[in-house]
Amino acid sequence: MAPDRETGRGERTPAGATASSRPRARLDQPRPPRHRILPEWDPEAFGRLSERIARFLGTGRFIVWMTIVIIVWVLWNIFAPRDLRFDNYPFIFLTLMLSLQASYAAPLILLAQNRQDDRDRVNLEQDRKSNERSIADTEYLTREIAALRIGLGEVATRDWIRSELQDMVKELEERWDGHREHAVFPAERSRGRDVEDR
């Protein structure tokens, strides 16, 4: 019995509901494309087309052309020979066509508005980020200018040096005058007077 167990552990074969002959899918390779019943289309191309139609529906040209078509339709179905009329007085077919046009125009306009809202949202986000960068740059420059002003406050300017030198000259003159008055030797006093007379 022991040899049977050892051989059974090495190789396991699926049994029951999990046993199937289909090949296992590899995870390192993409799946093959499925065949679809419904036709596929590019949503961007459809969105661009809907925007073009919505833009045309919102122009005066469309209103003028639609008014001309309705007037021609009504006049033709009133004044044309009876055999050539295709929509008699209550104009039911005209009402159906206008309803059909409105039922297609409304979703196309909504789709165009949704696409425009998405674009506006992206633009607003970019503007917000740009404003944040501008504010950060402005704050940085403000701090730098404040630091420069503080630094310039500590720098010796030409006027400040001139005023300091003038103060030192006055102080030295005052000291010199005080020393001359208290001179020990009379020769120094007379020499100081001669200098002042000159």
Side-chain angles (χ1 to χ4, degrees):
M1 287 223 137
D4 291 338
R5 285 184 188 165
E6 290 176 7
T7 57
R9 283 184 192 164
E11 295 177 15
R12 288 194 174 194
T13 57
T18 58
S20 64
S21 61
R22 73 177 178 181
R24 289 188 172 190
R26 293 193 55 177
L27 298 177
D28 62 340
Q29 294 178 354
R31 286 184 171 181
R34 294 182 181 180
H35 297 291
R36 306 188 93 188
I37 298 172
L38 297 174
E40 294 183 17
W41 64 85
D42 183 15
E44 286 298 313
F46 186 72
R48 287 192 297 271
L49 177 65
S50 68
E51 285 180 342
R52 288 175 58 194
I53 293 171
R55 283 194 190 100
F56 177 68
L57 292 176
T59 59
R61 183 186 304 166
F62 171 74
I63 293 172
V64 168
W65 279 109
M66 192 167 100
T67 304
I68 290 170
V69 167
I70 290 172
I71 290 171
V72 168
W73 185 299
V74 169
L75 292 176
W76 179 266
N77 286 305
I78 290 175
F79 297 114
R82 203 171 277 281
D83 296 342
L84 298 177
R85 294 181 194 167
F86 56 89
D87 191 17
N88 290 327
Y89 166 64
F91 306 120
I92 295 172
F93 188 52
L94 176 63
T95 305
L96 177 67
M97 293 302 291
L98 291 175
S99 299
L100 182 67
Q101 181 263 332
S103 66
Y104 273 98
L108 288 173
I109 291 170
L110 287 174
L111 179 61
Q113 284 179 346
N114 289 340
R115 285 173 57 87
Q116 185 62 42
D117 288 343
D118 292 341
R119 279 196 298 272
D120 290 344
R121 191 176 303 114
V122 170
N123 288 338
L124 285 174
E125 184 67 22
Q126 290 175 349
D127 289 345
R128 187 181 64 79
K129 289 180 180 176
S130 173
N131 288 340
E132 286 177 356
R133 283 194 299 269
S134 298
I135 290 171
D137 291 344
T138 304
E139 289 176 353
Y140 172 75
L141 290 174
T142 304
R143 286 192 301 271
E144 288 296 314
I145 290 172
L148 286 173
R149 283 184 179 167
I150 291 170
L152 283 176
E154 297 172 359
V155 172
T157 60
R158 185 177 61 197
D159 295 335
W160 181 80
I161 291 173
R162 183 177 294 147
S163 67
E164 288 295 316
L165 287 175
Q166 287 174 354
D167 292 342
M168 289 177 72
V169 166
K170 285 179 186 176
E171 187 179 330
L172 288 173
E173 285 177 354
E174 289 172 1
R175 284 185 184 175
W176 179 253
D177 289 341
H179 282 300
R180 257 189 283 156
E181 292 174 359
H182 300 296
V184 177
F185 301 107
E188 288 182 3
R189 286 184 192 166
S190 63
R191 195 181 302 155
R193 286 179 193 152
D194 293 339
V195 171
E196 283 179 4
D197 292 339
R198 288 180 192 171

